[in-house]
């Protein structure tokens, strides 16, 4: 066990390097041209410094020669010109690299974000309700759009440094192989420390994802318009800000410790290479004084030594950084490779088209929950029939709808549509048949028309359909009174946006469900809870006419609405306790009758 523990970190550190290749691939597939330019410029920028150092030696030697033997001055001047050209080229290649990197950063950021969002589209609802998974997506989104480029930059930077070092090495080997070895050894400790701290920084980053998420959440609570009213009226501001500060202080404390330790260690170890450098410096000076090397050689070696040392430590920092980028990238790929259950069904029509919907002994427990949310639910709804589901808060009504819409899969039992298990249906074909409004429907910051149009994305912009749907949802009248009617921008996020009342939003959501004219299953989860009594009365007065051919699943706490259904299902603690028509259930004098009379009494 002990052994296993000891091996584990090493294996882990090596494993993270596998992402380098993938990051480079990502950049390559983002832009071939840009990657090629980047590589070429890296090559040029890597080779030129040694060439410049060598030209420097030629200049000094030529100057010494000219002054001693009265040789023509044109030779050293020629070298000066050559060096000027080389320096100009180096500057050009470095500038080119910066331009390339800036452009790639934008392209790559977009590419990775699109990858993340595409992946998010394939995930199940359960993924989003799982906090660990949420950490993964937060981590992936927060850093990963900048990390692939950083990794590639560092890789290319490393190649550039390596090229410079090799060429410096070639120049320096003439002086002494030992000097080269000393240079390498002296910079080694810095590398080891760099990698160690990079690993630690990553672990810190992974561990504290929940805190970071909490901080983002608090930020949202404090700064988003949806929350501001309640935060102000309950005077939550100070308390929330206090929590925000606490999380920050805790994170900052960890950051500060790591940064300080990293800084101190790096400084101490860089002293080792500085000492090595100055010993070599002295050695070169002695050799020059003793006349064993020319003045030109001395100038070149000193340049090579000075630049070689900083290039080497740059290279090591790049490796340390690459290690860190790799670790961060492993997060991205963790997320992108998250397993999704690919739906296998492909049926687009049922085997008994007139059978409607059946629940057969359906039970379901939410992942991570101990109590079943639904137990042995059985029901049958024929085409065109309307079913109302009644029950206390938390009794399982919405869960039943989530199973029907295939957001979740039953643990046991079956749900059949037209005689076929929902699992056998092609998800798109199935969802095309369902129009739904959930309690927490989305208030899109789009125009009114688009807010309705999203109910049928193929006809998103169809003005005529908007009008029909709005009429069915009783939204027509207030929409016509808006400044730009269906073209009015909704919400406060964008310029000129108009905010609606809760009931008006609900009418929009209702219209959205009616937009789905192809759908023969309409699911309404408390569709009129915020709508005034008069409008509700009118909606349900023509409800039968507008949903004539549709099966309706209606969840409501208002019995005036519920009573219009053909069948009523009463659920308690996830189980069906009563089932029948309004009249039957009243006659039974059970739970439904009691609740109905209670509500009726309230209106008297
Ligand atoms: N995503 C979830 N994960 C775990 N448990 C959940 C989840 N959603 C609901 N539950 C639990 O399942 C049970 C049924 O919830 P459900 O939302 O179906 O109730 P409901 O009848 O629609 O209630 P309400 O009338 O308040 O809307 C509740 O005990 C609830 O705590």
């Amino acid at each position: 066990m002990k052994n296993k523990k000891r091996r584990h970190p090493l294996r882990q550190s090596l494993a993270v390097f596998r992402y380098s290749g993938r990051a480079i691939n990502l950049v390559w597939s983002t832009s071939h041209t840009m990657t090629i330019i980047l590589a070429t410029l890296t090559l040029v920028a890597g080779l030129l410094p040694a060439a410049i150092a060598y030209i420097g030696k030629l200049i000094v030697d030529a100057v010494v020669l000219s002054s001693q033997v009265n040789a023509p001055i044109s030779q050293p001047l020629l070298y000066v010109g050559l060096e000027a050209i080389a320096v100009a080229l180096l500057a050009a290649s470095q500038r080119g690299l910066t331009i390339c990197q800036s452009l790639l950063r934008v392209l790559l950021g977009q590419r990775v974000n699109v990858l993340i969002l595409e992946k998010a589209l394939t995930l199940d609802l359960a993924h989003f309700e799982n906090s660990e998974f949420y950490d993964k997506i937060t981590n992936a989104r927060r850093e990963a759009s900048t990390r692939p480029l950083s990794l590639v930059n560092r890789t290319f930077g490393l190649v550039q440094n390596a090229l410079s070092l090799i060429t410096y090495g070639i120049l320096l080997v003439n002086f002494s192989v030992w000097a080269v070895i000393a240079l390498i050894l002296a910079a080694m400790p810095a590398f080891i420390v760099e990698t160690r701290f990079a690993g630690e920084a990553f672990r810190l980053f992974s561990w504290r994802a929940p805190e970071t998420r909490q901080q983002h959440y608090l930020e949202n609570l404090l700064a988003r318009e949806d929350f501001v009213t309640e935060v102000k009226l309950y005077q939550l501001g100070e308390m929330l800000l206090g929590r925000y500060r606490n999380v920050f202080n805790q994170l900052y404390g960890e950051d500060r410790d790591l940064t300080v330790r990293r800084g101190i260690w790096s400084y101490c170890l860089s002293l080792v290479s500085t000492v090595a450098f100055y010993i070599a410096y002295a050695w070169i000076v002695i050799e020059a004084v003793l006349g064993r090397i020319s003045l030109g050689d001395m100038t070149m070696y000193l340049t090579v030594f000075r630049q070689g040392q900083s290039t080497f430590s740059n290279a090591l920092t790049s490796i340390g950084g690459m290690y860190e980028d790799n670790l961060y990238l492993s997060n991205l790929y963790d997320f992108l490779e998250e397993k999704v259950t690919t739906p296998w069904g492909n049926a687009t029509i049922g085997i008994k088209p007139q059978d409607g919907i059946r629940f057969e002994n359906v039970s379901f427990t939410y992942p991570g929950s101990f109590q079943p949310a639904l137990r042995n639910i059985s029901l049958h709804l024929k085409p065109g029939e309307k079913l109302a589901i009644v029950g206390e808060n938390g009794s399982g009504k919405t869960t039943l709808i989530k199973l029907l819409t295939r957001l979740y899969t039953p643990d046991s039992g079956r749900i059949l549509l037209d005689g076929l298990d929902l699992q056998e249906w092609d998800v798109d074909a199935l969802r095309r048949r369902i129009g739904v409004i959930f309690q927490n429907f989305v208030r899109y910051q789009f125009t009114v028309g688009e807010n309705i149009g999203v109910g049928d994305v193929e006809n998103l912009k169809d003005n005529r359909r908007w009008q029909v749907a709005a009429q069915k949802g009783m939204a027509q009248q207030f929409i016509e009174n808006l400044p730009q009617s269906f073209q009015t921008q909704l919400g406060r996020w964008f310029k000129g946006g108009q905010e609606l009342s809760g009931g008006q939003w609900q009418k929009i959501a209702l219209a959205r469900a009616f937009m789905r004219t192809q759908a023969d299953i309409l699911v309404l989860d408390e569709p009129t809870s915020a709508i005034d009594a008069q409008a509700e009365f009118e909606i349900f007065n023509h409800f039968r006419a507008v949903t004539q051919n549709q099966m309706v699943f209606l969840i409501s706490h208002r019995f005036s609405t519920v009573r219009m259904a053909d069948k009523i299902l009463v659920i308690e603690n996830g189980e069906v306790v009563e089932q029948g028509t309004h009249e039957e259930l009243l006659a039974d004098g059970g739970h439904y009758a009691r609740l109905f009379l209670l509500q009726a009494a309230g209106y008297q």
Side-chain angles (χ1 to χ4, degrees), residues 125 129 366-369 371-374 391-400 402 408 439 525-526 555 557 571:
L125 185 59
E129 291 179 346
Y366 280 102
S369 187
Q371 283 274 81
L374 288 178
E392 287 167 10
N393 295 132
S395 54
K397 304 180 296 293
T398 304
T399 309
L400 190 146
K402 285 185 186 165
Y408 283 102
Q439 282 171 49
D525 189 350
E526 296 189 34
I555 297 179
H557 292 290
I571 308 189

Side-chain angles (χ1 to χ4, degrees), residues 125-136 213 338 367:
L125 185 59
H127 278 116
F128 290 93
E129 291 179 346
N130 173 330
S131 70
E132 267 173 40
F133 177 78
Y134 223 90
D135 286 344
K136 263 191 202 170
R213 194 152 49 81
E338 176 77 24

